[in-house]
Amino acid sequence: MLLVPCPHCGPRNQSDLRLVGATVPRPDPNATTPEEWGDYLYLRDNPADWIEETWYCRAGCRRYFTLTRHQGTNEFRNPPMPGDKVGTATYTTISVGSSGSQPGANIEPHTTGGAS
Amino acid sequence: MAGIFRRNGAGDAPARYSAPQLARKGLTGEEWPRVWRDHEIKPAYDVIIIGGGVHGLATAYYLATNHGITNVAVLDKGYLGGGGSGRNTAIVRSNYLTPEGVAFYDRSLSLYNSMAADLNINVMFSERGHLTLAHTDSALRTMHWRAEVNKLQGIDSSVIDPDEVKKLAPSLDVSTHPRYPILGALYHPPGGIIRHDAVVWGYARGADHRGVHLHQKTEVLDILVEGGDGPGGKGAGGKVTGVRTNKGDISAPIVVNCTAGWGSLISNMAGVKLPINTHPLEAAVTEPVKVFLPTVVVSGSLHVYVSQTDRGELVFGASVDPLATYSMRGSLSFTEELAGHILELMPGISKMRLLRQWAGLCDMTPDYSPIMGFTPVEGHLTDVGWGTYGFKAGPVSGEQMAECIATNTTPKLIAPFALERFSTGQLVGEKGAAAVGH
Ligand SMILES: Cc1cc2nc3c(=O)[nH]c(=O)nc-3n(C[C@H](O)[C@H](O)[C@H](O)COP(=O)(O)OP(=O)(O)OC[C@H]3O[C@@H](n4cnc5c(N)ncnc54)[C@H](O)[C@@H]3O)c2cc1C
Ligand SMILES: [Zn+2]
């Protein structure tokens, strides 16, 4: 089992988290072709190399964030630590708003420190 | 296209495996001949197949046997059967959920049935029956759904109650005490297990003696493509000209990806992106004991399945590890969860000891169905997306991919599994029958 560096809780057992998958930019659903939308939903690079991916800390802080991991060796690059200052951290936290009618419509990635 | 293929010089037919041969070799101590031969790599082939697992070897075998196309090379970076084909738990069955899946896997089962005679090798196919347990109402509902789809297509498959389960597998705890009591099961008598290594060697031997070249320790580093839209002339609209390997370049107009867990890496080399994530799947085997478990038992809710080999070992498997990775390291959490879950089903085996555990790579697709046939790059075909269920599909995949290559058209049986389905949205949702069952 991996120790996953949660930017808020610190290293935690992998079973406390869920790997959501590779972080891919979401195109505007109103302005894409079905092919582009299919690509976004399904196609993945799946490299044996460094990959940006989204994790969900389901048994801890219950936040979503991005980490960089090597899919060949499982090493994390620049693992963030709780308390890292804004701007120095190399990770992204995605905050999920509680209102809004469109699922996912108010997911806006922003960089932040461990305190947010 | 059929006209472009040439014949390779076939070798001497290998000595047939037979009872008199066995007796003679047993008495005289005479060596058995090598199962397949080594060759120099030729500068060009008509077809290059990447991946020497059951899929690549079966494709080569049927190209030679059914279509007379023998100027074919199978390249593997390691040894034949070193991927999933030598690591799986060897369950074969056809009780899938979608009509497309059922028809496809049923054809494979019938090829497995005649395989020992066709390939002249003892594949030890044991048609012992397959039980998929239901522990919840919703699981039971899915079992009924599967049974109806199966029956409509003439597959022997039905839902049975806990008493009947107990008769088939007396070691199972069918009481109401467990946290997940057994409410019933989908029973599929034609399902069973087979000796996976013999299947791989049988196809390799058959392909070899028809003239196919098998090159081990030959790693594909790049696929050579001209005229595509993407960087370096790769990608949609391009045309394959060959491959670059650790032993030099080899030309070929047709390059087939049969690398399962490594499938994304190979198709990326041609500029074709696939809807695949690679996850490890772990399995384990116990010390041998007297045979007591007559059927294959699968529990989706408990993420575990078990069968007993002829030697008496219990073979266990689970669902894939949640981490997407190319690392094949085993994990303690797998062993712990496996032990906890299997004891819930069979409390009587608590004193048994595990001998080994291992992992293999699984190429998981969003709909738990494969990706077969042509891609936007001319000459680059895929036979990947085999996830945790691809061993049983080896024979039919080889047969259909060979037809696809030889006729340059997509055979009906594999048309639903085309890569395009991910842009047209016509997915073949097989999760309900493939997530743990393999
Ligand atoms: C633990 C476990 C249990 C399973 N249980 C079952 C089961 O009970 N029933 C079932 O039906 N399926 C099962 N499966 C799935 C099944 O094993 C696979 O789907 C199947 O073996 C895939 O076969 P293949 O020939 O496509 O690929 P593989 O056998 O994986 O072969 C791919 C080959 O490609 C080669 N390769 C990779 N990259 C390169 C390169 N760059 N150049 C050259 N060669 C390369 C590899 O060395 C490998 O030999 C299981 C899998 C695992 C891991
Ligand atoms: Zn956390």
Side-chain angles (χ1 to χ4, degrees), chain B residues 105-179:
Chain B
Y105 290 103
D106 192 45
R107 173 69 189 147
S108 220
L109 212 52
S110 67
L111 288 167
Y112 269 129
N113 265 308
S114 60
M115 181 175 287
D118 295 345
L119 298 180
N120 176 232
I121 191 166
N122 183 4
V123 289
M124 294 169 70
F125 183 26
S126 162
E127 209 176 30
R128 56 178 61 188
H130 183 283
L131 284 176
T132 316
L133 304 176
H135 304 272
T136 60
D137 283 344
S138 64
L140 205 53
R141 201 172 337 117
T142 309
M143 300 308 159
H144 278 290
W145 175 6
R146 273 169 70 179
E148 294 312 315
V149 172
N150 294 166
K151 282 180 202 159
L152 201 60
Q153 287 177 272
I155 309 290
D156 189 355
S157 172
S158 56
V159 176
I160 59 174
D161 65 23
D163 290 342
E164 292 167 284
V165 172
K166 186 78 183 170
K167 271 187 220 133
L168 287 165
S171 50
L172 290 177
D173 180 1
V174 298
S175 72
T176 51
H177 303 307
R179 182 165 163 214

Side-chain angles (χ1 to χ4, degrees), chain A residues 7-81:
Chain A
H8 310 290
C9 312
R12 294 193 76 119
N13 269 348
Q14 184 199 328
S15 55
D16 288 351
L17 295 97
R18 184 164 69 83
L19 174 60
V20 180
T23 309
V24 277
R26 182 175 191 263
D28 176 359
N30 299 317
T32 47
T33 63
E35 285 74 31
E36 285 165 348
W37 192 249
D39 290 1
Y40 157 71
L41 283 180
Y42 303 121
L43 298 194
R44 295 293 178 264
D45 287 326
N46 192 26
D49 206 336
W50 293 103
I51 175 174
E52 297 259 302
E53 60 190 11
T54 306
W55 286 82
Y56 172 52
C57 187
R58 64 189 168 121
C61 58
R62 308 195 61 185
R63 282 163 186 271
Y64 288 85
F65 46 86
T66 304
L67 294 173
T68 308
R69 182 178 57 96
H70 196 288
Q71 277 209 128
T73 64
N74 290 338
E75 182 188 353
F76 287 97
R77 184 149 66 190
N78 301 331
M81 289 303 287

Side-chain angles (χ1 to χ4, degrees), chain A residues 1-2 14-15 19 22 34-35 37-39 41-49 53 55 69-74, chain B residues 261 264-265 268 273-279 322-327 331-333 337 366 419 421-423 425 427:
Chain A
M1 183 162 332
L2 284 188
Q14 184 199 328
S15 55
L19 174 60
E35 285 74 31
W37 192 249
D39 290 1
L41 283 180
Y42 303 121
L43 298 194
R44 295 293 178 264
D45 287 326
N46 192 26
D49 206 336
E53 60 190 11
W55 286 82
R69 182 178 57 96
H70 196 288
Q71 277 209 128
T73 64
N74 290 338
Chain B
S264 300
L265 305 179
N268 282 347
K273 212 163 159 180
L274 298 176
I276 286 180
N277 284 307
T278 296
H279 290 259
L323 192 71
T325 178
Y326 288 91
S327 157
S331 66
L332 181 62
S333 51
E337 278 167 33
L419 177 59
R421 74 179 184 276
F422 295 96
S423 42
L427 273 59

Side-chain angles (χ1 to χ4, degrees), chain B residues 35-213:
Chain B
V35 178
W36 59 82
R37 297 157 296 175
D38 290 327
H39 296 275
E40 289 288 309
I41 298 179
K42 297 204 299 185
Y45 291 94
D46 290 344
V47 181
I48 288 178
I49 296 169
I50 312 174
V54 64
H55 283 261
L57 294 167
T59 304
Y61 172 83
Y62 289 111
L63 273 173
T65 310
N66 294 356
H67 306 282
I69 298 167
T70 56
N71 188 21
V72 175
V74 178
L75 313 181
D76 198 291
K77 67 173 178 174
Y79 58 95
L80 301 187
S85 299
R87 295 164 187 269
N88 64 80
T89 45
I91 296 174
V92 299
R93 61 185 177 92
S94 64
N95 58 348
Y96 277 74
L97 180 62
T98 64
E100 298 87 344
V102 172
F104 178 77
Y105 290 103
D106 192 45
R107 173 69 189 147
S108 220
L109 212 52
S110 67
L111 288 167
Y112 269 129
N113 265 308
S114 60
M115 181 175 287
D118 295 345
L119 298 180
N120 176 232
I121 191 166
N122 183 4
V123 289
M124 294 169 70
F125 183 26
S126 162
E127 209 176 30
R128 56 178 61 188
H130 183 283
L131 284 176
T132 316
L133 304 176
H135 304 272
T136 60
D137 283 344
S138 64
L140 205 53
R141 201 172 337 117
T142 309
M143 300 308 159
H144 278 290
W145 175 6
R146 273 169 70 179
E148 294 312 315
V149 172
N150 294 166
K151 282 180 202 159
L152 201 60
Q153 287 177 272
I155 309 290
D156 189 355
S157 172
S158 56
V159 176
I160 59 174
D161 65 23
D163 290 342
E164 292 167 284
V165 172
K166 186 78 183 170
K167 271 187 220 133
L168 287 165
S171 50
L172 290 177
D173 180 1
V174 298
S175 72
T176 51
H177 303 307
R179 182 165 163 214
Y180 299 104
I182 295 169
L183 303 181
L186 184 67
Y187 179 42
H188 178 48
I193 54 174
I194 197 160
R195 186 170 170 225
H196 51 24
D197 293 327
V199 174
V200 169
W201 299 334
Y203 277 125
R205 177 166 163 263
D208 171 76
H209 113 247
R210 285 166 179 79
V212 171
H213 284 189

